[in-house]
Amino acid sequence: MKDVAARAGVGLKTVSRVVNGESGVTPDTERRVQEAIEALGFRRNDSARVLRKGRTASIGLVLEDLADPFYGPLSRAVEEVARAHGALLINGSSAEDPEREQELALALCARRVDGLVVIPAGDDHRYLEPEIKAGVATVFVDRPAGRIDADTVLSDNFGGSRDGVAHLIAHGHRRIGFIGDQPRIHTAVERLRGYRTAMEDAGLPIDEAWVSLGSTEADRVRTAAETMLTGPDPVTAIFAGNNRVTVTVVRVLAGLSRPVALVGFDDFELADLLDPGVTVIAQDAAALGRTAAERLFRRLDGGHDVPERIELATRLIARGSGELPPAS
């Protein structure tokens, strides 16, 4: 900074004001300082800045799986909000492992991130209580926190699933299968609840052989779908609990000689180009990430209101697969 000040012919305080975007500097002086910075290759010492201000201008994002297409727009939205606030985003994947989630979240806290956005894998987040009390703003997204009160941003998983199944019922289906994620996951439980509610509202019985929760690995989903689609009274429609399940079910249905209706929770790439196009319940992943990040920075800017639960609406996109009538 001394070199920059000497080259620009100003004092150290003026350089500091320019670097930190503070007022009280004339445009001509700011130009001279910026030219000196560029000529000398000056870079601000963020370590010293942290010691002085107590903030790192960084936040952490704990995802379930970086490879899952759903989390791409969510992560990007968090990053854009962080960038607008002059902060760096650091993210990592829990791989749906509660222990790995805790390890990653605490490692980010140890690196003194200012806040965390967490897509939880576990159901007990009391390990974060000391960090939150120490000032680490924390917002949970896609799934709620377990055993602590914290800001949470969710999609309407129950309502979206209920609407999707009701859509199949409206097109004449009475035997509808549900294939979802693992039963310990909040979104899977809520989507199953929506399925059961839609069937109950229509006065339709549910054969438990039509319901399958578990891993979203292709082999497991394929077996579940094939089981539901065989026997004396096979299902005539399937509601798929997330995008990974839907893709596998599409492959199974492609090998059948009879039409089977399909509605999937989550939109996915090329869903509109298949024949028929795949009807989906779409949630706005980018809006989830943006809302969570904005809530986080509101906390960092001094907001002390009680933790809030925000639920975003889903929408049904009819493309053809969900409108197929039952096979005669």
Side-chain angles (χ1 to χ4, degrees):
M1 286 181 67
K2 289 180 181 178
D3 293 337
V4 171
R7 186 180 183 97
V10 298
L12 281 174
K13 182 60 178 176
T14 299
V15 175
S16 176
R17 284 175 175 163
V18 172
V19 169
N20 290 294
E22 298 174 3
S23 59
V25 181
T26 66
D28 181 64
T29 299
E30 182 178 359
R31 177 186 55 77
R32 295 204 319 272
V33 172
Q34 293 289 5
E35 288 175 352
I37 286 172
E38 185 175 345
L40 294 172
F42 170 81
R43 295 292 181 271
R44 183 173 61 192
N45 186 329
D46 279 334
S47 295
R49 183 170 178 263
V50 169
L51 290 173
R52 186 175 72 255
K53 294 192 172 183
R55 293 273 291 269
T56 63
S58 64
I59 64 170
L61 171 61
V62 180
L63 295 164
E64 175 200 342
D65 183 358
L66 290 169
D68 188 329
F70 173 75
Y71 294 116
L74 188 154
S75 176
R76 177 64 180 272
V78 174
E79 184 175 25
E80 289 300 316
V81 173
R83 187 165 181 250
H85 285 81
L88 177 70
L89 176 68
I90 308 169
N91 61 29
S93 172
S94 70
E96 203 61 73
D97 180 346
E99 290 185 6
R100 184 165 168 177
E101 172 214 299
Q102 179 173 340
E103 179 183 318
L104 178 58
L106 293 179
L108 290 166
C109 291
R111 284 160 178 76
R112 299 189 64 186
V113 295
D114 299 322
L116 288 173
V117 175
V118 180
I119 297 172
D123 57 6
D124 187 348
H125 295 91
R126 289 176 295 176
Y127 71 86
L128 279 172
E129 284 183 328
E131 309 298 334
I132 294 172
K133 288 178 180 177
V136 179
T138 304
V139 176
F140 290 81
V141 64
D142 190 45
R143 306 166 187 174
R147 307 184 73 175
I148 64 170
D149 290 326
D151 290 313
T152 303
V153 181
L154 309 170
S155 290
D156 182 8
N157 294 285
F158 166 75
S161 178
R162 181 192 56 202
D163 292 347
V165 176
H167 185 74
L168 290 168
I169 294 170
H171 284 82
H173 295 278
R174 299 296 178 263
R175 299 193 304 273
I176 302 170
F178 178 93
I179 305 177
D181 210 330
Q182 300 183 58
R184 63 181 175 81
I185 296 175
H186 169 82
T187 51
V189 171
E190 285 297 286
R191 292 169 194 176
L192 176 59
R193 188 167 70 90
Y195 162 82
R196 291 190 182 279
T197 298
M199 296 289 280
E200 181 181 340
D201 288 347
L204 297 176
I206 299 174
D207 186 329
E208 289 307 314
W210 301 345
V211 177
S212 178
L213 295 179
S215 163
T216 58
E217 293 295 324
D219 288 346
R220 201 284 301 184
V221 174
R222 184 180 299 108
T223 299
E226 290 173 347
T227 300
M228 294 178 188
L229 292 164
T230 56
D233 292 309
V235 299
T236 63
I238 292 177
F239 186 87
N242 65 32
N243 55 358
R244 286 164 289 183
V245 172
T246 304
V247 169
T248 299
V249 173
V250 166
R251 291 192 171 105
V252 172
L253 298 185
L256 296 183
S257 58
R258 70 182 189 280
V260 174
L262 171 66
V263 174
F265 204 108
D266 293 332
D267 205 357
F268 61 98
E269 192 172 6
L270 305 182
D272 57 329
L273 298 182
L274 297 172
D275 186 20
V278 180
T279 297
V280 298
I281 300 298
Q283 54 178 332
D284 193 336
L288 283 170
R290 182 170 56 254
T291 304
E294 288 171 349
R295 184 71 185 174
L296 184 77
F297 280 99
R298 194 174 303 125
R299 287 283 181 195
L300 290 172
D301 289 339
H304 299 296
D305 46 332
V306 297
E308 184 178 4
R309 182 185 176 110
I310 302 169
E311 194 166 83
L312 305 183
T314 59
R315 63 191 180 101
L316 187 146
I317 304 175
R319 296 191 176 117
S321 71
E323 294 69 59
L324 295 172
S328 57

